[in-house]
Amino acid sequence: MATILEESPITYQELADIEREFDDVETEIIRQQVQLTKSLYEKRHAVVSQIPNFWPLVIEQAPPDIDEYIQPSDSALLLSSLSSLSVSHFEVENGGKGDPRSVAIRWEFTENEYFEDSAIEKRFWYRRAKDGWAGLVSEPVDIKWKKGKDLTDGLLTLVKAVWDEEQAAGTNGAKARAKGDKITAKQQALKAKIDGIGLGGLSFFAWFGFRGNRVSAEESQTATQEERQRRQRRKAGEEVSTPASEADSDDSDDDDDLEIFPGGDMLALAIADDLWPGAIKFFTQAQEQDALSDIDFESDEELDDASLADSADESERPAKKRKA
Amino acid sequence: MATILEESPITYQELADIEREFDDVETEIIRQQVQLTKSLYEKRHAVVSQIPNFWPLVIEQAPPDIDEYIQPSDSALLLSSLSSLSVSHFEVENGGKGDPRSVAIRWEFTENEYFEDSAIEKRFWYRRAKDGWAGLVSEPVDIKWKKGKDLTDGLLTLVKAVWDEEQAAGTNGAKARAKGDKITAKQQALKAKIDGIGLGGLSFFAWFGFRGNRVSAEESQTATQEERQRRQRRKAGEEVSTPASEADSDDSDDDDDLEIFPGGDMLALAIADDLWPGAIKFFTQAQEQDALSDIDFESDEELDDASLADSADESERPAKKRKA
């Protein structure tokens, strides 16, 4: 990272430092944005909860980077039973001084044939690792599936069991195994299950099992402070090189073969930064689509593949105006 | 727009009003962001202008929604001669109280074989029309092409001539013709020229001729004030319906057959909101790509289609790490 650019007095480190300064400003802007929009989101919640099937219709119009993860059976569940979706920046709520980029995504459901839970919440913490990586990490959340109704076919429960085992043993998942730790029976079972998933066959609900990189709150705090100090010393004219551990990794994820939902962090971002703020826009799009007028979301009938594919196609085209 | 949603006490108007309140907050956040990042962008400018070919390398890595407009001959010009790119929110600079969403995009060039200009700037004003439409509008900017080097083959000059003619006559382009105004000789020539453009054959530089919807500053100010007043009265409990002119048009653009660069507003947004803030990221990506080490951007040789297609493909894949 500290290499000097060819034919230029500028180093990569100087460019990286500028990027980090932009990050810092951006983070403060998000902090303000969360505060400034809080009461508006509460108002929106009060209004849209009076509209039947508001959230199912929003999901129906989800952009491709979300929609691609929703299988027909997931869709049947979401369209028939999702009663509310909400995103909170839980580390800065009620005056908290945490990171405004951390998000909790909460799904609420009406009584349904699939699971017992009336609400499932997944939290994502924005963390910085010692090796320079920064992004969202999470913990597996289990779902109380009804008998024979588990859309993940036991995967979620297994991920949670492996996680609990690792927490109890104080080990660090993929990193520990990379260092030579033996794979446990549960990890082995999880690996076999993951390897057995067919192409495109993974349920959207497996996302609740996403863990991402293992970065503790403590590691993140230390790494953030140290990075900032190095940056300040460089700003003051000192020569401070990046530690070797950080030099090679600004885009390297842990290569974790026990991750059941690679890209789960990007999906969380798409929900929090696009679907959630754009909910009214997506709902209005849904209302505008002729095709949808023929589908009764109140019924328990499963939508077949064909009708889902049709509506997904249409969301790509400019919405046509329809008189309600 | 005022229709009541089926089985719900909520009207579309209430949803639209909430969206406008979010817009207002978002606009204030952008205003703050422009202020908070101003000195950082100046610092970045001072640093990157010491790096040879910084902006050509950024352009090389432009995301698909920008890259798709860059023809091989445009690319040859940009890669050999672009010395600086900058975006300013000109309506709020130096304490201005205008709209922070208005942007000026300025391109600076070294002496080159294509045109005389050393800088070309295009301004986009955020405006609201009486019919409810809101977005970016612009004015054609001409380029002093050297003989036989006009990449737009006279199109840009013709657009500018038609614009000047319309300004002088006080007419309103497409709207005037829709109302029955006769098409002028210049407009006719422009239309013939536009119809003659082959698929995919339009130069990126034709973007400087983009006009978009014709909404004057006065119309925008009036429309914004009136919309805000209606919203406040509704908030106070009054029944205020949207004027008929606005009822049917929130996504209808003028259908202007003399627009030479449809989507020019979206391209401006992609440059201002993505390419410009992400310049260091794109530059670093370029450095990381092995392929690029073989191309000498200092040379005047045109890049052939194949090499451009290759690099566009690679920008879609996760960037590979390369030691510089």
Side-chain angles (χ1 to χ4, degrees):
Chain A
M1 278 297 276
T3 326
I4 289 171
L5 289 166
E6 266 177 79
E7 306 170 47
S8 147
I10 305 299
T11 64
Y12 280 110
Q13 189 62 67
E14 281 175 89
L15 294 180
D17 282 357
I18 291 176
E19 287 293 76
R20 290 302 320 281
E21 285 186 56
F22 273 108
D23 282 351
D24 286 353
V25 172
E26 194 55 46
T27 305
E28 288 316 302
I29 290 165
I30 296 172
R31 195 183 302 276
Q32 288 183 32
Q33 186 174 33
V34 169
Q35 273 195 330
L36 290 171
T37 53
K38 189 173 189 306
S39 63
L40 254 177
Y41 276 117
E42 285 166 1
K43 182 174 173 178
R44 188 182 79 173
H45 174 74
V47 167
V48 304
S49 50
Q50 297 174 65
I51 302 175
N53 293 313
F54 179 85
W55 288 106
L57 286 161
V58 170
I59 295 286
E60 248 283 325
Q61 295 289 318
D65 54 349
I66 296 172
D67 192 61
E68 64 177 319
Y69 293 110
I70 302 177
Q71 308 293 337
S73 50
D74 300 323
S75 197
L77 194 172
L78 290 166
L79 299 186
S80 65
S81 314
L82 181 65
S83 59
S84 179
L85 175 69
S86 55
V87 169
S88 64
H89 298 257
F90 62 92
E91 290 204 298
V92 292
E93 282 190 344
N94 308 313
K97 299 287 180 213
D99 198 304
R101 291 167 292 191
S102 297
V103 288
I105 304 180
R106 184 181 170 84
W107 308 72
E108 293 177 37
F109 297 90
T110 53
E111 181 107 18
N112 64 70
E113 59 179 306
Y114 296 92
F115 47 64
E116 308 289 348
D117 310 78
S118 60
I120 315 175
E121 180 175 298
K122 187 160 176 68
R123 295 190 160 207
F124 294 84
W125 289 265
Y126 190 90
R127 298 255 168 94
R128 171 168 291 272
K130 275 184 304 207
D131 70 3
W133 177 90
L136 294 176
V137 304
S138 190
E139 293 178 0
V141 174
D142 204 2
I143 292 177
K144 291 188 206 70
W145 298 100
K146 291 183 180 171
K147 207 171 168 215
K149 291 295 188 178
D150 184 347
L151 295 179
T152 73
D153 190 24
L155 198 48
L156 212 45
T157 308
L158 203 46
V159 171
K160 183 70 165 62
V162 166
W163 172 266
D164 289 344
E165 183 182 63
E166 288 172 6
Q167 295 300 106
T171 62
N172 197 0
K175 279 181 188 164
R177 284 196 312 286
K179 285 189 188 125
D181 274 24
K182 260 174 62 183
I183 191 162
T184 69
K186 280 189 176 125
Q187 288 171 336
Q188 196 107 48
L190 176 56
K191 192 164 176 349
K193 194 123 199 146
I194 290 172
D195 292 344
I197 301 166
L199 261 181
L202 188 67
S203 164
F204 174 82
F205 287 88
W207 172 73
F208 287 98
F210 169 80
R211 303 165 307 187
N213 286 348
R214 314 297 172 84
V215 186
S216 69
E218 294 69 36
E219 175 177 344
S220 183
Q221 203 171 14
T222 309
T224 304
Q225 276 170 3
E226 289 180 355
E227 191 280 336
R228 191 159 291 155
Q229 281 163 7
R230 285 196 301 275
R231 193 146 40 106
Q232 277 165 357
R233 285 166 57 199
R234 279 193 296 267
K235 222 171 165 175
E238 261 184 83
E239 277 216 18
V240 184
S241 59
T242 305
S245 63
E246 193 172 327
D248 193 26
S249 63
D250 63 351
D251 55 1
S252 74
D253 278 3
D254 284 1
D255 224 350
D256 186 350
D257 56 1
L258 296 185
E259 175 59 64
I260 62 165
F261 207 97
D265 45 353
M266 301 315 288
L267 178 54
L269 278 179
I271 294 169
D273 293 351
D274 192 2
L275 194 72
W276 165 249
I280 288 181
K281 179 186 75 189
F282 294 120
F283 171 78
T284 309
Q285 265 177 31
Q287 294 287 321
E288 285 170 358
Q289 284 191 10
D290 287 326
L292 288 183
S293 64
D294 304 322
I295 299 171
D296 181 9
F297 287 114
E298 308 247 48
S299 90
D300 279 351
E301 288 166 51
E302 293 204 9
L303 300 166
D304 61 26
D305 285 35
S307 69
L308 282 165
D310 280 357
S311 56
D313 275 3
E314 290 211 24
S315 70
E316 300 285 57
R317 295 203 292 272
K320 273 186 231 128
K321 201 85 192 173
R322 187 177 74 85
K323 297 289 170 214
Chain B
M1 280 294 278
T3 325
I4 289 171
L5 287 166
E6 266 176 78
E7 307 170 45
S8 148
I10 306 299
T11 63
Y12 280 110
Q13 189 63 67
E14 280 175 88
L15 294 180
D17 283 358
I18 290 177
E19 288 291 78
R20 290 302 321 280
E21 286 186 56
F22 274 107
D23 282 353
D24 286 353
V25 172
E26 195 55 46
T27 304
E28 287 317 301
I29 290 167
I30 296 172
R31 195 184 301 275
Q32 289 184 32
Q33 187 174 32
V34 169
Q35 272 194 331
L36 289 171
T37 53
K38 188 172 190 302
S39 64
L40 254 177
Y41 276 117
E42 285 167 2
K43 182 174 171 178
R44 187 182 79 172
H45 173 75
V47 167
V48 305
S49 50
Q50 296 175 65
I51 302 174
N53 293 314
F54 179 85
W55 287 106
L57 285 161
V58 170
I59 294 286
E60 247 284 324
Q61 294 290 316
D65 54 349
I66 296 173
D67 192 61
E68 64 178 318
Y69 293 109
I70 302 177
Q71 307 294 339
S73 51
D74 300 322
S75 196
L77 194 173
L78 291 167
L79 298 186
S80 66
S81 314
L82 181 65
S83 60
S84 180
L85 174 69
S86 55
V87 170
S88 63
H89 297 259
F90 62 91
E91 290 204 299
V92 292
E93 281 188 347
N94 307 317
K97 300 286 180 215
D99 198 305
R101 291 167 292 191
S102 296
V103 289
I105 304 179
R106 183 180 170 86
W107 308 71
E108 292 176 38
F109 297 89
T110 53
E111 179 107 20
N112 65 70
E113 59 181 304
Y114 296 91
F115 47 64
E116 308 289 347
D117 310 78
S118 61
I120 314 175
E121 181 175 296
K122 187 158 177 69
R123 295 191 159 206
F124 295 84
W125 289 264
Y126 191 89
R127 299 255 168 94
R128 172 168 292 271
K130 275 187 303 211
D131 70 3
W133 177 90
L136 293 176
V137 304
S138 191
E139 293 178 359
V141 175
D142 203 2
I143 292 177
K144 293 188 205 68
W145 299 100
K146 292 184 180 172
K147 208 175 166 208
K149 290 293 186 178
D150 184 348
L151 296 179
T152 72
D153 190 25
L155 197 48
L156 212 46
T157 307
L158 202 45
V159 170
K160 182 70 165 63
V162 166
W163 172 266
D164 290 343
E165 184 183 62
E166 287 172 6
Q167 295 300 108
T171 62
N172 198 2
K175 278 182 188 164
R177 285 195 313 286
K179 284 189 189 125
D181 273 25
K182 259 176 60 182
I183 192 163
T184 69
K186 280 190 178 126
Q187 287 170 337
Q188 196 106 51
L190 176 56
K191 193 166 175 346
K193 193 123 202 147
I194 290 173
D195 292 344
I197 300 168
L199 262 180
L202 189 65
S203 164
F204 174 82
F205 287 88
W207 172 73
F208 287 98
F210 169 80
R211 303 165 307 188
N213 286 348
R214 314 296 173 86
V215 186
S216 69
E218 295 69 34
E219 175 178 343
S220 182
Q221 205 172 11
T222 310
T224 304
Q225 276 170 2
E226 289 180 355
E227 192 281 336
R228 191 158 292 155
Q229 280 163 6
R230 285 196 300 275
R231 194 146 39 105
Q232 277 165 357
R233 285 166 58 199
R234 280 192 296 267
K235 225 171 163 174
E238 261 185 84
E239 275 217 20
V240 184
S241 58
T242 306
S245 63
E246 194 171 326
D248 194 28
S249 62
D250 63 351
D251 55 2
S252 73
D253 278 6
D254 282 2
D255 222 352
D256 185 351
D257 57 359
L258 296 186
E259 175 59 63
I260 62 163
F261 208 96
D265 45 353
M266 301 314 288
L267 179 54
L269 277 180
I271 294 169
D273 292 351
D274 193 1
L275 194 72
W276 165 249
I280 288 181
K281 178 186 76 189
F282 294 119
F283 171 77
T284 310
Q285 264 177 33
Q287 294 288 321
E288 285 169 0
Q289 284 191 12
D290 286 325
L292 289 183
S293 63
D294 303 321
I295 299 170
D296 180 9
F297 288 112
E298 310 248 44
S299 90
D300 278 349
E301 287 167 50
E302 292 202 11
L303 298 166
D304 61 26
D305 285 38
S307 70
L308 283 166
D310 280 354
S311 56
D313 276 359
E314 290 211 22
S315 71
E316 299 285 57
R317 293 204 293 271
K320 273 187 231 130
K321 201 83 194 170
R322 188 176 72 85
K323 296 290 171 215

